[in-house]
Each structure stands twice: as structure tokens, then as C-alpha cells.
Amino acid sequence: EHLTKEGGVGKQKNPKFDELKLLKDHRRMNDADEESGNKGNDKDDMFMARLIAVLSDYGDDGFPVSLISRRWNQIWPDRPFPSECIIERTVRNGSGMMVLRKKVKLLKWLKWKCKGQVSFRNIEGDVLAFDITNRNKGE
């Protein structure tokens, strides 16, 4: 009923996402005291926390990589999932340092971005993402 009468939003709440909003608000309050010269890092603000929140909904079953951006945008419409997947690498050249940027597919970008926190497995033709931070806590 809420899908047709309330524009698909409804009044359901997941406490896990409320906690994430509290973290975000706390960080915003801390940053308000400082000068905002760090605008370049704003794109990555809370990226891993949000991704882990999406993946943890599915626990040990994993979450299809192809659906991550859709689920992300449903939960945080004001912070859309990155539309371009660009890997940046700093290399040394003859006169100093140089930043190389390469556009890649989503899976390769996620593997680069989430190294050590998310694992990926191909199961029955679908690539699934798994939150490995929870597994490490239990051991």
C-alpha cells in the first residue's frame, strides 16, 4: 500500500541506517568547526560505511554487485552511488610524481576501492559481494 500511496517511500525504518546517519551528522558537526578546504574528499565521505550497510542486509548470502548502485540509491537518494568508476594511481616519473586515472568497470573499481573489507565471489553466474569485516570480528 505504501508503494502506491506514498510515492514508494513509506514510513518503514531500519535502525541500522539511522545509526549511519548519526555518524554522518557527528562528522558534519566536527567539520563545521574547521575550514572546508577538504572538499575533494567529500565524494568518499562514508562510502565504505554505506557499502557495508548495504551488504550487511544480506549477510552470508552475499549481495549481487550489479544491484549495489540501485540499492544504494534507494537508501541514500541524496548521496547517489558514484556514476564513474575511476582508479587513481600515483607514480613517480623523471621530474616528480604523476597521478594516473583510468576508467574501469564497476567490479574492478569495487575490488580496488574495497580491498580488505569486501570480498567478491562468482556464484552461479552472478558476482556477489560479501562483507568480510563482520567475519573478522567473530574470529
Side-chain angles (χ1 to χ4, degrees), residues 2 10 13 16 47 59 61 63 90 102 104 107 109 118 135:
H2 72 280
K13 284 191 171 187
K16 175 175 51 179
F47 177 83
D61 294 335
F63 190 81
T90 305
K102 182 179 179 183
V104 295
L107 180 59
W109 181 74
V118 177
R135 289 190 187 149

Side-chain angles (χ1 to χ4, degrees), residues 27-52:
R27 184 175 184 147
R28 186 180 302 131
M29 288 174 18
N30 288 341
D31 289 345
D33 296 336
E34 302 173 4
E35 291 294 320
S36 59
N38 232 359
K39 286 288 185 189
N41 293 335
D42 189 46
K43 291 189 298 186
D44 290 337
D45 183 33
M46 303 294 288
F47 177 83
M48 283 308 302
R50 287 186 173 108
L51 183 62
I52 297 298

Side-chain angles (χ1 to χ4, degrees), residues 1-12:
E1 181 178 310
H2 72 280
L3 294 175
T4 58
K5 292 185 179 179
E6 297 178 26
V9 179
K11 293 181 176 72
Q12 297 92 352

Side-chain angles (χ1 to χ4, degrees), residues 32-92:
D33 296 336
E34 302 173 4
E35 291 294 320
S36 59
N38 232 359
K39 286 288 185 189
N41 293 335
D42 189 46
K43 291 189 298 186
D44 290 337
D45 183 33
M46 303 294 288
F47 177 83
M48 283 308 302
R50 287 186 173 108
L51 183 62
I52 297 298
V54 168
L55 299 180
S56 64
D57 276 346
Y58 293 84
D60 292 338
D61 294 335
F63 190 81
V65 169
S66 61
L67 300 178
I68 288 176
S69 65
R70 182 190 317 170
R71 181 69 179 136
W72 175 296
N73 291 333
Q74 288 172 345
I75 299 169
W76 299 286
D78 58 324
R79 295 292 293 211
F81 193 79
S83 58
E84 288 189 323
C85 301
I86 297 175
I87 292 178
E88 292 184 354
R89 201 170 53 140
T90 305
V91 295
R92 185 180 304 231

Side-chain angles (χ1 to χ4, degrees), residues 47-49 51-52 55 68 72 81 106-120 129-133:
F47 177 83
M48 283 308 302
L51 183 62
I52 297 298
L55 299 180
I68 288 176
W72 175 296
F81 193 79
L106 176 63
L107 180 59
K108 186 170 185 173
W109 181 74
L110 285 171
K111 285 180 179 180
W112 170 76
K113 185 93 172 154
C114 308
K115 194 171 196 171
Q117 297 182 20
V118 177
S119 69
F120 301 91
F130 297 86
D131 172 16
I132 59 174
T133 57

